Amino acid sequence: METGYKGTDRMITGIVFGVITFWLFAQAMVNVVPAVQSDLGISMGTLNIAISVTALFSGMFIVAAGGLADKAGRKKIAYIGFVLSIIGSLCLVLAEGAPLLIAGRIIQGLSAACIMPSTIALIKAYFEGKERQRALSFWSIGSWGGSGVASFAGGVIATNLGWKWIFIFSIIFAVLGMFLLKDTPESKQESSGSFQFDFAGLSIFIVTMLALNIFITYCASFG
């Protein structure tokens, strides 16, 4: 979709804020295991599922979400990702046991699957040449850079404020990201053909990966 719009620093900042909701805040869960287990009173096996399921669901749905973003609109799917991030983080903030913890982590994974491909596509649509390289560098800083400081940031927040504050900050950054992207025009791939999605294939893939993840986590207790 051609609009003549050129990407701005405001847009880049909004995109980075969206990316770090997964790479920094969601990933920080790995480093607050004792605090979460003590607070919620759940087993280590359940906590391991909660830790791994976010990346699992992100990986399972990222290709589908990227294809949907091209057809339905990249900004729209990015916004859906932001909303899912807020909902997932809120589930973790309100969690008193395993159900909301697991649900929140799954929703965070779906959020990342929406945000990552759609924001990359927005950068490709609205930046050119050196400016595109610059925008992609900031996206990389938000992703791999965010992952690199997740241990430190998560530890500092959990030590001084409590582990749930990690996800309160995630909500704040998601809201700010949505605000910063609000003036970005919609972008989508023009297509004359009908869009068909392989729901059966995705369902089989999801069931297989979930079964494998549960087996690996609980195989010792299964004998």
Side-chain angles (χ1 to χ4, degrees), residues 128-210:
E128 297 290 341
K130 292 182 178 180
E131 287 300 309
R132 179 182 292 176
Q133 294 301 317
R134 175 173 172 269
L136 289 173
S137 295
F138 278 106
W139 191 96
S140 298
I141 291 170
S143 55
W144 303 113
S147 180
V149 301
S151 298
F152 173 77
V156 170
I157 295 170
T159 300
N160 292 282
L161 298 172
W163 68 270
K164 291 188 176 183
W165 274 92
I166 295 171
F167 304 104
I168 293 174
F169 282 118
S170 184
I171 292 171
I172 293 170
F173 274 83
V175 171
L176 289 173
M178 293 176 72
F179 174 76
L180 292 169
L181 282 179
K182 69 182 181 68
D183 294 329
T184 302
E186 185 57 278
S187 167
K188 66 175 67 175
Q189 178 179 303
E190 299 296 339
S191 177
S192 57
S194 59
F195 177 65
Q196 294 183 337
F197 189 79
D198 184 9
F199 289 102
L202 179 62
S203 300
I204 293 170
F205 178 65
I206 291 170
V207 171
T208 302
M209 294 304 297
L210 284 176

